Structures are given as structure tokens and as C-alpha cells.
Amino acid sequence: MNFDFSYLDIAFKNGSVITVNESDEIAQAVGVKGNKIVFVGSNEDIDQLIDEKTQVIDLKGRTLMPGLNDSHYHPILNGMIGTDLDSAMVDTGFAQAKDIPSVLAILKAVTDTKAPGKWVSSMGFEATLLKEQRYPTLEELDAVAPNNPLQAITCNGHNAIYNSKALEYLKVYTAEDAKKYPEGEVVVADGKLTGEVRGHTHFWLWGQVEYTEPQQRKAAMKSQKQCLELGITSVGDMGECDAPSYHIMQKMCRDGDFKIRSYMALHSIFGKHYSLEDNEHWMKLGFVTGLGDEHFRVGPCKFMIDGGSGGPTCYTREPYSHDPNAPSERGWEREETWDYIKKVDDAECQCTAHAMGDGAIEFMVEGYEKAFAACEDKEAFKARRHRIEHCMLVDQDLIDRMAKMNICPSVNAGLQIRNGKNLARFYGPKREKFLGALKSMMEAGVVCSLHSDAPSGPVGFEMIDGAVNRYDLRQGYQCDMSQAVTVLQAIRCCTYNAAYQSYEEKIKGSVEVGKLADLIVCDRDILAMDTHELHNVKVDLTMIDGKVEYQRA
């Protein structure tokens, strides 16, 4: 590629440049012209390309690297959660509430601002982190909101406690009414409703809450602010509020309002019916994954097999270690999963599914194997780079089988920094050795990425810290280190590998000549620091398309 080297628009000098090129070279200087990287090399050589019009930025030894690509993030959902009483979803997370009375106080304050009949929507609490180690009860929520439907969604989003007014939408008034729904999805204990609703019934009920276009636009802009401050320049948007959200996000990216590059999956947070309808319509029209431009592309056809790892509600092959009788969530059956993967692959689209537990992941791997065997063009199958979202509980056999077909999991291996002690308790020492198995995946040649699943998990360098150190900062617990990766490996996962998973590794994901100038500057040399301080790394500058979109004061 030829460039006019009469001068550089911007020259970064005197840095520790993590290139993420094939050799993981560390350079000193980077030159930008327009929206492209046009020089990577030494301080001495870049001086020849600088004139009086060039903006020179002295890195003073700090790290410059590719912008982070969070391959599984929810810009609208993440931004809707807030501490203001008029937030689309009020935040009940650990930072806001460490016990049941605090959760209830937040919900009561929001309810008091609502007219009777209006939904009270909230998300964030994790029962295992609350002082009482339990969910709020149906009776407690009824006392808080006697005249309003109310939902208290857990941190992982896969289950919630609803009050009686909300359960009316399901026509559930007694424990007997719960039998109208799949077993275990409207939870009954001791012959009484608990208010807990799980799985696809929960997602359908969540879909009865209306989030307006202005609320969604405001939420996306709030997430953009977070992304820019944390050095995230691209996201894989893995599910929002169905049809309105697709329109909103594409328009915001097209108009330049939302500057973070978006790879948006066809998936609704409101559950199986909505997601199937979206995917079926897309495939019927004959479009394939990747339609769009470098700002917005249509991503994979996504569905959801199981629950979350932190509840826990994911589908595992063996019972949970802490409670063998604890129920798990399984929204798709084995052969149903196989058939749907085949359908997506036949349409030459990229397929993915939320599969957290090893039971769900096994469904996916088996389905891919059957589709791979039936596909005449094996290289074309591999080129589709089918994914598995989360992919937290695996073993070496599952990893090796993924590698043979070029299955590319997007892994939230940073979770240990917030909930590692509980994860170790839920799954036991044997399974913990393959929990968020980035190291084993990379050694097997699997192109895996690292993600936050915001709003559910740690974001930015906190996420990287979790993958590198696997230390639970909240509970002071050192998790098993079998799958710990180096800083450079973690960075590759959330830059180049993430770009590979959206077919964009030729235009972004590393600091190389000809690629888009999506760059970040850290507040220190992150390769020369104590890795246990990675969560404290600040981003001083975020550049997208050659333009500085954020500078830390």
C-alpha cells in the first residue's frame, strides 16, 4: 500500500509499542496519516517523516497498543443500568448494595418515582455476594412495589425475582399456575411461589418491559464513554432489545454518533422466540455475516443454550460441586442444537451460541462436528470461523475438537477477578483447572478472544488482570493458575484474535502499517509493571480512525 509520506499527521515517539504482530515485536514509534498507521519502527527513523505540521506525542516510555476489541459486550443493556432513579434499569450491583435491605431500599426509591402500573426494572445483584446469601423474596418485593410490576434481575441476567404484579403478565397467581411453564422456569419452593423466574420464561417476561428509543440511545452513548475511557475501540454487540436496537445501533454508527466499531449479532435479550425470528428472517433473505462497513457490521446468528456461571445456572455434564441438587438452565436440547447449527452453516453464516457450561459446549461442538462432516467444502466451513460465546467450562478433548474445525470461542476468562472464589466452589478443583481455558486453547491453536460480557463482567484492564492473575480481589482468593496467560497473550486475545473472529484482522487488531489507526496509550509501561496491578492501569488516550476521541485529564 502506498502512502504520501510528505509528513505524518501524528507521530508517537519514545514508547513501548506493543504491536501484536506475528512476532509480538515491541517498537518505539508509530506514525499516523489520515485514518491509517503508516509507520512502525524506531525513534530515529520516524524523525525523517515529521515536519512542522506533524503533531508529535512523546510517550515517555508509556505503552502504545491496539485499541481493545471486547468481543462480547452489550452497549445498550450495559448503558441502561445506572444509579439515577430515572435510569432505564436501576443498578443493584455489589458496589451499590451488599445486603438485602440495601437492594430493597434502592427498589423502593425507584418505585416511589413511578406511576401505578409502570414497570420497575433493575439488574446487578449477585445472591452469593450479598450478606444474607439469598435472593429477595416475593413478599419483600410485593411490599416494596404493591402497585407496580417489578423485576430484580441478577448480575448474570439469566434469572430474576419478580413481584406478584409482574407475574400477572404470565398469568401466574399460585404455585399450581407455574406448571404451565417448562419445569423449573417459574420456581416454586415448599408449595409456594418464590418470585424467581428462569431461562426463556424470564427472558419473555423481561421483554414485556418497554425501553424507549431515547433511553436506548442514551444508554449506547453512556457505554461509549466507558469504552473510550477504558481503551475499547471495537465491540462485538452480542444482543440487545430486539428490532429497535438493530436500527438504533446501525444508525448511530452510520451517523458517527457511536464511534466504537460494532459487530452486532442477530440476537435478542428477550429470548428464544425473538432470536429465532430474527435469524430466520436474515437467512431467508440470503444475506451472510459481515454485511456492513468498518464502523458497523452484522455479526453472527446467535442463540442461547444455558445460563450463567456465577449464579450458577449453566448446564454442566456433572452436578455442581457445592450443591449436587442445584438446578441448571438448558433452553435448547442436543439434537435441536445440532440441527440449528447445520441450518446456519448451510446459509453460509457465522453461527454462535451462549454456552457457558461443559454440557452446553458439548452440544455446540457435536453440532459443529456434524455440520463439518456434512459440508463438502471443509475449508469454507473453517473460514466461517464459527464461535461459542463464554465457553467457560471445557476440557482438553473439547478444545482439541474445536481446533480441528477452526471454532473460535469468545471467553470471559476475566470473571475470576470478581467472583473466582465462588466459581471454584461451584465447580470444584478438577473443573477449575479448565475454567476459562485461554492457555490450553491457545496452545491447541484455537483462535480465542477475551471479553467482558458487560454489564455482567469486568471490563478493560480489569478483565485482562483477571485472565492473567486469576485472583479474586473481592474475596482475596487465589484461583487455580493452570489457565493463566501472559500479558501479551491476553492482549492478543482482546485485539488481533477478536478482529479475526469478525473477519477483520487485515484492517485492525495490531499495530502494523496499513491498518486502521485505532490506538490507545496507557499511563505506564504495562510490560514493566507488577502484573497484579493491571486492574489499576489507566488509559491516557484513545484514538479511533486516526482521531483522538478521548484524553484523560
Side-chain angles (χ1 to χ4, degrees), residues 133-175:
Q133 295 278 298
R134 66 171 177 85
Y135 294 139
T137 66
L138 176 63
E139 292 75 17
E140 287 170 336
L141 296 190
D142 282 346
V144 163
N147 302 310
N148 298 76
L150 182 151
Q151 60 172 184
I153 303 178
T154 63
C155 178
N156 67 48
H158 287 261
N159 61 325
I161 312 301
Y162 291 88
N163 71 348
S164 295
K165 283 289 184 183
L167 294 178
E168 289 178 7
Y169 283 76
L170 296 173
K171 294 183 168 34
V172 169
Y173 305 96
T174 68

Side-chain angles (χ1 to χ4, degrees), residues 68-85:
L68 299 179
N69 185 337
D70 193 329
S71 59
H72 189 121
Y73 185 101
H74 301 273
I76 290 175
L77 175 59
N78 179 64
M80 287 198 300
I81 300 169
T83 56
D84 295 337
L85 296 183

Side-chain angles (χ1 to χ4, degrees), residues 84-86 90 103-121 141-150 163:
D84 295 337
L85 296 183
D86 64 348
V90 69
V103 173
L104 297 176
I106 292 170
L107 297 176
K108 176 67 164 60
V110 177
T111 303
D112 288 346
T113 70
K114 302 283 187 180
K118 296 296 184 181
W119 273 92
V120 176
S121 182
L141 296 190
D142 282 346
V144 163
N147 302 310
N148 298 76
L150 182 151
N163 71 348

Side-chain angles (χ1 to χ4, degrees), residues 7 86 155 175 230 232-233 236 255 269 310 321 373 378 395 404 415 549:
Y7 66 90
D86 64 348
C155 178
L230 297 179
I232 298 167
T233 57
D255 295 346
I269 60 173
S321 297
K378 307 300 185 192
D395 58 23
K404 291 177 182 177
L415 283 177
E549 298 292 351

Side-chain angles (χ1 to χ4, degrees), residues 262-482:
S262 182
Y263 183 64
M264 192 172 190
L266 296 168
H267 178 68
S268 169
I269 60 173
F270 299 145
K272 188 173 184 177
H273 168 77
Y274 296 95
S275 292
L276 283 177
E277 187 178 71
D278 296 347
N279 288 326
E280 296 284 347
H281 183 64
W282 173 262
M283 289 186 286
K284 186 177 180 180
L285 291 172
F287 290 122
V288 296
T289 307
L291 182 66
D293 59 23
E294 60 199 31
H295 298 288
F296 179 91
R297 296 185 193 278
V298 177
C301 295
K302 182 190 170 192
F303 58 105
M304 184 178 294
I305 296 178
D306 67 345
S309 63
T313 56
C314 64
Y315 176 52
T316 54
R317 295 187 285 200
E318 301 293 334
Y320 300 131
S321 297
H322 73 299
D323 182 359
N325 297 315
S328 62
E329 177 187 329
R330 188 179 75 240
W332 285 65
E333 298 304 321
R334 188 182 299 266
E335 292 189 5
E336 181 185 23
T337 302
W338 299 349
D339 292 343
Y340 201 69
I341 287 174
K342 176 71 162 52
K343 186 171 189 174
V344 176
D345 186 68
D346 284 347
E348 299 183 4
C349 291
Q350 186 184 51
C351 182
T352 195
H354 171 116
M356 186 77 74
D358 52 6
I361 295 165
E362 184 174 70
F363 283 12
M364 291 296 291
V365 172
E366 289 173 345
Y368 284 135
E369 286 174 333
K370 291 183 180 298
F372 185 66
C375 182
E376 293 184 3
D377 189 339
K378 307 300 185 192
E379 293 308 309
F381 181 98
K382 292 180 181 179
R384 282 191 271 282
R385 306 175 187 183
H386 294 306
R387 297 169 49 141
I388 300 174
E389 303 305 309
H390 307 306
C391 204
M392 279 293 283
L393 276 175
V394 293
D395 58 23
Q396 192 62 52
D397 176 63
L398 288 170
I399 292 170
D400 291 340
R401 291 157 68 188
M402 282 187 257
K404 291 177 182 177
M405 299 176 286
N406 195 32
I407 305 305
C408 303
S410 175
V411 187
N412 54 341
L415 283 177
Q416 280 85 346
I417 196 170
R418 292 189 180 178
N419 205 23
K421 185 175 182 179
N422 285 330
L423 294 175
R425 183 168 63 92
F426 297 156
Y427 305 113
K430 181 179 178 181
R431 286 185 289 195
E432 193 192 3
K433 290 186 180 299
F434 278 90
L435 185 66
L438 293 179
K439 182 178 181 181
S440 290
M441 289 178 184
M442 296 179 85
E443 289 175 348
V446 172
V447 185
C448 51
S449 63
L450 173 62
H451 72 250
S452 69
D453 193 23
S456 296
V459 188
F461 279 92
E462 185 185 5
M463 170 188 74
I464 291 171
D465 188 314
V468 171
N469 297 306
R470 300 175 73 89
Y471 183 79
D472 185 337
L473 286 175
R474 283 181 175 171
Q475 301 184 75
Y477 178 81
Q478 180 60 63
C479 306
D480 186 276
M481 291 290 284
S482 300

